Amino acid sequence: MGIKRERSCGILLHISSLPGKYGIGTLGKEAYDFVDLLSCNGVGYWQILPLVQTGYGDSPYQSVFSGSGNPYFIDLKTLADEKLLKRSELSMCRFDGKKIDYSFLYEKKYALLRRAFSRFDRKNEVFQRFIEEGKFQGYALFQTLKGKFGQTSFCDWPQKYKFAREKSLRALERDNREEVEFWLFLQFEFLKQWKALKAYANAKGVRIIGDLPLYVAYDSVDVWLHPQYFKLDSERRLKKVAGVPPDYFSETGQLWGNPVYNWSRHKKEGYSWWIERLKNAFELYDVVRIDHFRGFDRYYEIDAGEDTAKNGKWVKGPGMDLFAAIRAELGEVDLVAEDLGLMDAGVLRLIRGTGFPGMKVMQFAFDGDPKNRYLPKKIEENSICYTGTHDNDTMVGFLASMDEASRLRFKTSLRKTLKEQGLEQTGSSVKQQAKAVMELVMKCRSYLSILPVQDLLFMGAEARMNVPATKDGNWQFRLGRPVTDKQIALLRSFAEKYGRSNLRK
């Protein structure tokens, strides 16, 4: 029967980028205010990046546990309302910088969270039931061991911990019960706050699009406790790692370093690990976008130890077999396939076979090629259209950085497209052209159109979230103040003009 999808629109804004006084966006008042803003202006979707606890490099696509919530997102004012913190103590985490400082958060926020835990009733029945569910027990033990051995990889821990021997882990938990329960407390509080926010959003007619990375981090609970699902040697060291070959973003490709899956083992066990992962994701989100979807058809693997991604090879993935197993267990699931980058006939067949909507990025459209698959006339209804994603420069930054020849091609192609779409010709300024691209995104056939908040606010390259294949300076973007009704008026007018407003439904 399939998923019923109505024409709508949304905004891409990660939790970390919300404004606030305490160094990073949280699940507190600013998040609720943003939901109110969306709801009052007829915007039906809020898209975010992975909610996971970040590790080295601060990327939400590299986590200590793919099922975790980020403790940094726990709202301190809410903890104060619960009498776990004093109002006067919140100033310890006050931060006035324009960008996120993760070192500051690591030092200050965790100190406050530990103080909150010291006042928390660990015998609370709801908390005890949460512990008994066991979903985060491995995470809590992993974090406890990280505290003992520093930030070295689990592969460098003593053998009894490296191989997660049950007797040793039971002893670890017994001897470090308070520390283990601290990490459980963080996930307990995060989930309580997140589920309350999501329920509020849903009640206001706003659906949440979450993001599920294809791969997990090597130094993670996922690999530590389930090594059989990854290509590792007998000492649990990496044999193969993930990446992509040279492409639009990088001449040497991208060497992600994540372990690749042992798909034969997953198939043998009925893809139970993946089914459970998606089941958990749909408890958090209304719609799940799977990053790097092409890896299910064929994935690119590189020998561990290589310096670049140039010398990798393509290997066959699980294909439709995986999604048949998922549907058999979970029924119809509202998944979005991130199908950007190098696509071939195999992955296009897979996406058609699943029926999942793909992604269209209009920033890529105006290069002068009449066959460009991101041009509005090429876009089909079963898709989500964006000006750009978290991996792109902002529209203003993108246009401002063009050389003269590229800018001329862009301008010529854009004007031709506007004429084809029956829209007025735009001026030649960066802001005018960015606005025209946003209107094309909202007008196109895609059932859902999403604008990154940076584009809606006409922000420049300084507001870019991530530059692929770089390690420093990413994931730090924050709004200095809340988005206003006046600033969202452009999106609202486009939504009403092109039948995407929830206010008319």
Side-chain angles (χ1 to χ4, degrees):
M1 185 174 178
I3 303 290
K4 182 182 179 182
R5 298 187 172 97
E6 295 184 348
R7 192 168 171 83
S8 190
C9 65
I11 294 180
L12 170 59
L13 173 67
H14 193 34
I15 300 297
S16 64
S17 298
L18 287 164
K21 298 178 180 178
Y22 304 109
I24 195 168
T26 73
L27 306 176
K29 181 179 182 300
E30 292 79 10
Y32 284 82
D33 288 346
F34 187 67
V35 168
D36 288 342
L37 180 79
L38 298 178
S39 179
C40 290
N41 285 279
V43 180
Y45 287 84
W46 179 5
Q47 181 169 344
I48 60 175
L49 305 185
L51 286 171
V52 292
Q53 178 175 327
T54 54
Y56 177 75
D58 310 309
S59 169
Y61 295 88
Q62 298 281 350
S63 177
V64 298
F65 176 39
S66 66
S68 65
N70 195 335
Y72 290 154
F73 296 163
I74 294 173
D75 184 59
L76 297 177
K77 290 181 181 178
T78 302
L79 295 182
D81 291 341
E82 295 173 356
K83 309 300 182 185
L84 298 179
L85 291 174
K86 299 175 183 177
R87 296 283 172 182
S88 60
E89 292 172 331
L90 302 189
S91 62
M92 289 173 55
C93 209
R94 182 70 181 259
F95 183 75
D96 297 324
K98 292 183 177 180
K99 293 189 174 183
I100 298 169
D101 184 334
Y102 289 97
S103 296
F104 172 87
L105 289 170
Y106 185 78
E107 178 185 352
K108 300 295 185 180
K109 186 143 191 177
Y110 274 118
L112 269 184
L113 291 172
R114 286 188 179 276
R115 190 169 295 189
F117 174 65
S118 72
R119 297 169 181 148
F120 178 69
D121 179 12
R122 291 155 55 186
K123 295 181 180 179
N124 177 289
E125 287 185 13
V126 180
F127 181 59
Q128 287 300 314
R129 285 199 298 272
F130 175 81
I131 293 175
E132 288 168 10
E133 287 175 8
K135 189 177 291 187
F136 294 96
Q137 196 67 15
Y139 159 85
L141 293 171
F142 187 84
Q143 290 299 97
T144 299
L145 287 165
K146 282 287 183 184
K148 282 182 174 295
F149 301 115
Q151 294 306 307
T152 58
S153 167
F154 79 85
C155 204
D156 296 320
W157 291 346
Q159 296 278 306
K160 62 181 180 179
Y161 298 133
K162 170 182 173 178
F163 289 98
R165 291 172 182 157
E166 188 175 345
K167 183 178 179 181
S168 299
L169 295 185
R170 283 202 304 268
L172 175 76
E173 181 181 2
R174 183 184 64 243
D175 298 339
N176 299 271
R177 189 170 300 280
E178 185 171 329
E179 181 68 8
V180 169
E181 290 193 359
F182 166 68
W183 293 104
L184 290 169
F185 162 77
L186 295 185
Q187 294 304 311
F188 175 76
E189 285 293 332
F190 169 86
L191 283 171
K192 183 167 64 174
Q193 291 190 13
W194 171 252
K195 289 182 177 181
L197 175 62
K198 181 180 178 294
Y200 182 83
N202 290 166
K204 291 276 187 173
V206 176
R207 303 185 76 210
I208 305 292
I209 303 177
D211 205 335
L212 191 72
L214 170 62
Y215 292 117
V216 300
Y218 169 59
D219 190 24
S220 67
V221 178
D222 307 273
V223 178
W224 178 53
L225 293 184
H226 304 287
Q228 69 274 24
Y229 295 138
F230 305 91
K231 291 186 178 180
L232 310 176
D233 65 20
S234 60
E235 288 297 309
R236 299 194 176 172
R237 297 193 182 278
L238 289 163
K239 290 171 66 177
K240 304 287 185 180
V241 297
V244 291
D247 62 6
Y248 171 85
F249 292 114
S250 173
E251 292 181 359
T252 58
Q254 297 177 46
L255 186 64
W256 296 336
N258 305 75
V260 295
Y261 293 106
N262 178 2
W263 282 116
S264 61
R265 181 63 180 262
H266 283 275
K267 179 181 176 65
K268 184 178 180 181
E269 297 186 10
Y271 301 103
S272 57
W273 184 88
W274 265 98
I275 290 168
E276 187 65 21
R277 192 179 180 206
L278 279 171
K279 182 180 177 182
N280 290 334
F282 279 107
E283 290 178 4
L284 298 177
Y285 314 119
D286 298 299
V287 183
V288 176
R289 167 194 181 270
I290 298 186
D291 189 54
H292 197 61
F293 189 86
R294 75 137 303 114
F296 293 117
D297 176 59
R298 289 192 307 148
Y299 60 94
Y300 193 72
E301 70 175 22
I302 306 115
D303 288 340
E306 286 281 334
D307 294 327
T308 74
K310 281 185 173 182
N311 298 321
K313 67 176 182 178
W314 290 101
V315 181
K316 185 175 175 55
M320 280 298 296
D321 195 39
L322 168 64
F323 296 103
I326 289 169
R327 280 195 168 111
E329 187 69 27
L330 302 181
E332 289 294 333
V333 285
D334 204 348
L335 287 173
V336 176
E338 187 275 291
D339 57 347
L340 307 175
L342 182 64
M343 295 290 112
D344 58 23
V347 70
L348 294 176
R349 279 195 303 271
L350 177 61
I351 294 172
R352 286 195 299 270
T354 62
F356 301 147
M359 293 173 58
K360 307 298 179 184
V361 175
M362 212 167 280
Q363 190 177 112
F364 299 149
F366 307 106
D367 60 358
D369 180 0
K371 295 181 180 179
N372 188 307
R373 64 191 175 104
Y374 299 111
L375 286 166
K377 63 184 179 182
K378 298 285 187 179
I379 293 176
E380 65 276 6
E381 183 179 352
N382 189 34
S383 65
I384 302 180
C385 191
Y386 300 77
T387 46
T389 74
H390 64 275
D391 282 333
N392 298 111
D393 201 345
T394 66
M395 273 309 304
V396 167
F398 174 71
L399 289 166
S401 67
M402 283 183 174
D403 58 41
E404 189 173 340
S406 298
R407 186 70 185 276
L408 180 60
R409 279 195 300 272
F410 185 96
K411 180 179 177 181
T412 303
S413 180
L414 177 60
R415 286 189 169 179
K416 180 181 178 182
T417 300
L418 290 170
K419 185 177 180 180
E420 289 173 349
Q421 295 293 315
L423 298 177
E424 291 183 14
Q425 293 299 302
T426 185
S428 58
S429 75
V430 163
K431 187 172 180 179
Q432 288 170 321
Q433 290 181 340
K435 180 180 177 181
V437 174
M438 282 191 273
E439 182 165 10
L440 287 169
V441 167
M442 295 293 286
K443 184 180 188 294
C444 78
R445 285 190 292 269
S446 295
Y447 81 91
L448 179 57
S449 295
I450 292 183
L451 303 181
V453 75
Q454 297 98 315
D455 289 347
L456 187 59
L457 302 182
F458 295 99
M459 302 179 84
E462 75 285 349
R464 184 170 183 168
M465 190 63 156
N466 180 50
V467 181
T470 64
K471 294 181 179 179
D472 300 318
N474 297 315
W475 318 112
Q476 297 176 353
F477 165 71
R478 287 193 77 196
L479 291 170
R481 56 183 61 88
V483 182
T484 65
D485 285 310
K486 184 176 180 180
Q487 289 171 319
I488 207 174
L490 179 66
L491 176 59
R492 177 172 178 160
S493 67
F494 285 154
E496 291 175 348
K497 182 177 181 179
Y498 297 116
R500 296 188 182 278
S501 175
N502 271 7
L503 298 178
R504 294 186 175 183
K505 295 174 183 176

